[in-house]
């Protein structure tokens, strides 16, 4: 298909997609294969053995061990990048400069300078950039959004988020990785629901890394705990909101947890203590006659998600990992190209969600000093909305 800018819908025709990095990427390639607007799917991985195995498994013939070689071939319209974090900033710029739309795994980058470079690269290219934040498209997020929209939560009052994951035994490039540089899964649901950016953050590091955990990123902490001051574009949504976020990658004897809790004046939704368990939903009533404190009803909830937002061909993927988010991410990236519009989580929104973690780590290294977070002038008003299910232009 021909070049596409944000000027309007792209010419009709299938979109050819390269999936780069076949660890996490092997979960996405079959979703692109099934998408009705996607034509060819090609695979790129520097590990030739892994590339051949995934190619054979998915019957894909377009295989490349080198991103340069893949981009030198004419005809690919879009690239989904899922390589190690340290490569994202350079490879995204390379992909955009080659005239391809680019989706990138989180995080967008790990320095404020690189966030600025990527925003500039996207603008120069006129191509779409999307950060593939799974939490924003999870069934739990969709449920929280429903509770906010139907008034169950009332006005928003507070957020919590946790991402606790032991990275011992992961590829060695993770050693020393500052936990807050991976803040987006725990923080972005709060920012999307409240249509906020982070104004400032105070963060403390906990548990100095032992010598065997220090890596390329240097000395740091196993756990980082931050208080993020939010600023919403919608004055009716809540006042002076705070998100209380904990990230831990090393030296914490606790099972995996990656989620968010949202609290409002009339109700709340809490992430389970153990992954896979039911969420807890709370609804506040009146203060009973002669009693103290409002009566609160609680119940278990297992959110069903929003498979109806997906083309029929993708609905079978909605039971998958990360809250069933993968087909929604693919559909939003592809739809944004077909419709000639910015994706919801475009470069400015991605920077708005990533920079707070970079600033939080800086705060932790400075003993908890308050750090101002840059304003990326993102479209926060529509970031929690979805395109209409028929694939039209509606928001
Ligand atoms: N929920 C989520 O959003 C989520 C979950 C898991 C991973 N991720 C992200 O996905 C990305 C990949 O994570 P992973 O766990 O699969 O990593 P991984 O290290 O297991 O796999 C990376 C793959 O990329 C390949 N690769 C490395 N350098 C390359 C290069 N220059 N060109 C082509 N291929 C190259 C490697 O051979 C490997 O197969 C990371 O950015 C990670 O943060 C996001």
């Amino acid at each position: 298909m021909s070049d596409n800018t944000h000027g309007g819908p792209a010419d009709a025709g299938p979109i050819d997609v390269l999936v780069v990095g076949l660890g996490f990427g092997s979960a996405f390639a079959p979703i692109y294969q099934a998408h009705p607007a996607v034509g060819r799917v090609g695979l790129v991985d520097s590990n030739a053995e892994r590339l051949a195995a995934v190619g054979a498994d998915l019957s894909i013939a377009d295989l490349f061990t080198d991103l340069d070689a893949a981009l030198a071939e004419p005809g690919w319209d879009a690239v989904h990048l899922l390589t190690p974090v340290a490569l994202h900033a350079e490879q995204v710029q390379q992909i955009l400069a080659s005239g391809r739309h680019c989706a990138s795994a989180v995080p967008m980058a790990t320095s404020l300078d690189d966030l600025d470079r990527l925003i500039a690269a996207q603008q120069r290219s006129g191509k779409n950039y999307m950060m593939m934040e799974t939490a924003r498209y999870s069934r739990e997020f969709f449920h929280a959004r429903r509770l906010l929209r139907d008034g169950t939560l009332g006005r928003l009052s507070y957020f919590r988020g946790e991402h606790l994951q032991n990275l011992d035994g992961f590829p060695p490039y993770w050693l020393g990785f500052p936990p807050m540089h991976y803040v987006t899964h725990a923080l972005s649901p709060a920012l999307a629901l409240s249509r906020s950016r982070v104004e400032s953050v105070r963060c403390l590091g906990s548990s100095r890394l032992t010598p065997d955990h220090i890596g390329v990123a240097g000395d740091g902490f196993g756990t980082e705990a931050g208080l993020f001051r939010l600023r919403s574009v919608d004055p009716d949504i809540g006042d002076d909101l705070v998100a209380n976020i904990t990230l831990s990658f090393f030296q914490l004897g606790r099972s995996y947890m990656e989620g968010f809790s949202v609290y409002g004046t009339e109700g709340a939704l809490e992430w389970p203590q153990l992954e896979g368990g039911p969420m807890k939903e709370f609804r506040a009533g009146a203060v009973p006659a002669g009693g103290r404190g409002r009566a609160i009803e609680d119940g278990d909830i297992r959110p069903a998600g929003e498979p109806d937002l997906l083309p029929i061909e993708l609905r079978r993927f909605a039971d998958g990992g990360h809250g069933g988010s993968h087909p929604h991410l693919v559909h939003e990236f592809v739809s944004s190209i077909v419709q000639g519009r910015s994706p919801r989580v475009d470069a400015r929104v991605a920077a708005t969600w990533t920079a707070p973690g970079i600033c939080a780590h800086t705060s932790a290294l400075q003993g908890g000093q308050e750090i101002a977070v840059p304003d990326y002038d993102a479209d926060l008003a529509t970031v929690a909305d979805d395109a209409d299910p028929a694939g039209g232009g509606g928001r």
Side-chain angles (χ1 to χ4, degrees), residues 4 12 25 27 37 42 70 81 93 95 103 163 185 217 221 225 264 289 292-293 311-312 325 332 342 357 387 394:
N4 171 39
L81 185 71
Q93 290 178 77
I95 290 161
H163 183 171
H185 295 332
F221 304 97
R292 296 183 180 199
I312 286 167
S325 59
E332 170 61 5
S342 293

Coordinates of all heavy atoms in Angstrom, one line a residue, residues 4 12 25 27 37 42 70 81 93 95 103 163 185 217 221 225 264 289 292-293 311-312 325 332 342 357 387 394:
N4 N 1.2 6.8 4.0 CA 0.1 7.2 4.8 C 0.6 8.3 5.8 O 1.5 8.1 6.4 CB -0.5 6.1 5.5 CG -1.6 6.5 6.5 OD1 -2.3 7.4 6.2 ND2 -1.6 5.8 7.6
A12 N -6.9 1.9 0.2 CA -7.3 0.5 0.6 C -6.3 -0.5 0.1 O -5.5 -0.3 -0.8 CB -8.7 0.2 -0.2
G25 N 7.4 -11.4 21.1 CA 6.8 -11.2 19.7 C 6.1 -12.4 19.1 O 5.2 -12.3 18.3
A27 N 4.0 -14.2 20.4 CA 2.6 -14.1 20.8 C 1.8 -13.2 19.8 O 0.5 -13.3 19.7 CB 2.4 -13.7 22.2
A37 N -7.2 -6.8 8.0 CA -6.6 -5.8 7.2 C -5.1 -6.0 6.9 O -4.5 -5.2 6.3 CB -6.8 -4.4 7.9
G42 N 6.0 -10.8 8.2 CA 7.4 -11.3 8.1 C 7.9 -11.3 9.6 O 7.4 -10.6 10.5
A70 N 15.8 -6.4 6.6 CA 14.4 -6.5 6.4 C 13.8 -5.1 6.0 O 13.0 -5.0 5.1 CB 13.7 -6.8 7.8
L81 N 7.9 -3.8 17.1 CA 9.3 -4.0 17.6 C 9.2 -4.6 19.1 O 8.5 -4.0 19.9 CB 10.0 -2.7 17.7 CG 11.5 -2.7 18.2 CD1 12.4 -3.4 17.1 CD2 12.0 -1.3 18.5
Q93 N 13.7 4.8 15.9 CA 14.1 5.9 15.0 C 14.4 5.3 13.6 O 14.1 5.9 12.6 CB 15.3 6.6 15.6 CG 14.9 7.5 16.8 CD 16.0 8.2 17.4 OE1 16.5 9.2 16.9 NE2 16.5 7.7 18.5
I95 N 13.3 2.6 12.2 CA 12.1 2.1 11.5 C 11.3 3.3 10.9 O 10.8 3.3 9.8 CB 11.2 1.3 12.5 CG1 12.0 -0.1 12.8 CG2 9.8 1.0 11.9 CD1 11.5 -0.8 14.0
A103 N 5.1 0.2 15.9 CA 4.6 -0.1 17.2 C 5.8 -0.7 18.0 O 6.6 -1.4 17.5 CB 3.5 -1.2 17.2
H163 N 3.8 -3.5 40.4 CA 4.3 -4.4 39.5 C 5.5 -5.1 40.2 O 6.6 -4.5 40.4 CB 4.8 -3.7 38.2 CG 5.3 -4.7 37.2 ND1 5.6 -4.3 35.9 CD2 5.7 -6.0 37.3 CE1 6.1 -5.4 35.2 NE2 6.1 -6.4 36.0
H185 N 3.0 -0.2 33.2 CA 1.9 -1.2 33.5 C 1.1 -0.8 34.7 O -0.1 -0.9 34.8 CB 2.4 -2.6 33.7 CG 3.1 -3.2 32.5 ND1 2.8 -2.9 31.2 CD2 4.0 -4.2 32.4 CE1 3.5 -3.6 30.4 NE2 4.3 -4.4 31.1
A217 N 23.0 -1.1 34.1 CA 22.4 0.1 34.6 C 23.1 0.7 35.8 O 22.7 1.7 36.3 CB 20.9 -0.1 34.7
F221 N 18.3 0.1 43.2 CA 17.4 -0.6 44.2 C 16.7 -1.7 43.7 O 16.3 -1.7 42.5 CB 16.5 0.5 44.8 CG 17.1 1.7 45.4 CD1 17.2 2.8 44.6 CD2 17.7 1.7 46.6 CE1 17.9 4.0 45.1 CE2 18.3 2.8 47.2 CZ 18.4 3.9 46.4
A225 N 9.4 2.9 45.4 CA 8.0 3.2 45.8 C 7.8 4.7 45.6 O 8.6 5.5 46.2 CB 7.8 2.8 47.2
G264 N -12.8 5.6 44.2 CA -13.6 6.8 43.9 C -14.5 7.1 45.2 O -14.4 6.4 46.2
A289 N -28.1 4.5 60.4 CA -28.7 5.3 61.6 C -27.9 5.0 62.8 O -27.8 3.8 63.2 CB -30.1 5.0 61.8
R292 N -21.3 4.6 62.6 CA -20.1 5.4 62.2 C -19.5 4.8 60.9 O -19.2 3.6 60.8 CB -19.0 5.2 63.3 CG -19.4 5.8 64.6 CD -18.3 5.7 65.6 NE -18.6 6.2 66.9 CZ -17.7 6.6 67.8 NH1 -16.4 6.4 67.6 NH2 -18.1 7.1 68.9
G293 N -19.3 5.7 59.9 CA -18.7 5.3 58.7 C -19.8 4.8 57.7 O -20.9 4.2 58.1
P311 N -12.5 -7.2 15.6 CA -13.0 -8.0 14.5 C -13.2 -9.5 14.9 O -12.4 -10.0 15.7 CB -11.9 -7.9 13.4 CG -10.9 -6.9 13.9 CD -11.1 -6.7 15.4
I312 N -14.2 -10.1 14.3 CA -14.5 -11.5 14.7 C -13.3 -12.4 14.6 O -13.0 -13.2 15.5 CB -15.6 -12.0 13.8 CG1 -16.9 -11.4 14.1 CG2 -15.7 -13.6 13.8 CD1 -18.0 -11.6 13.1
S325 N -5.2 -8.4 26.3 CA -4.9 -7.1 25.7 C -4.3 -7.3 24.3 O -4.4 -6.4 23.4 CB -3.9 -6.3 26.5 OG -2.7 -7.0 26.7
E332 N -5.8 -1.8 17.4 CA -5.7 -0.4 17.4 C -4.5 0.1 16.5 O -4.7 1.1 15.8 CB -5.4 0.1 18.9 CG -5.1 1.5 19.1 CD -6.1 2.6 18.6 OE1 -7.2 2.2 18.2 OE2 -5.8 3.8 18.6
S342 N -3.9 9.2 14.4 CA -3.0 8.8 15.4 C -3.5 7.6 16.2 O -4.7 7.6 16.5 CB -2.7 9.9 16.4 OG -2.1 11.0 15.8
G357 N 8.2 7.5 35.3 CA 9.1 6.5 35.9 C 10.6 6.9 35.8 O 11.3 6.6 36.7
A387 N -11.8 3.1 19.2 CA -12.4 3.3 17.8 C -13.6 2.5 17.8 O -13.8 1.5 18.6 CB -11.4 2.9 16.8
G394 N -14.9 6.4 14.1 CA -15.4 7.0 15.3 C -14.4 6.9 16.5 O -13.6 6.0 16.5

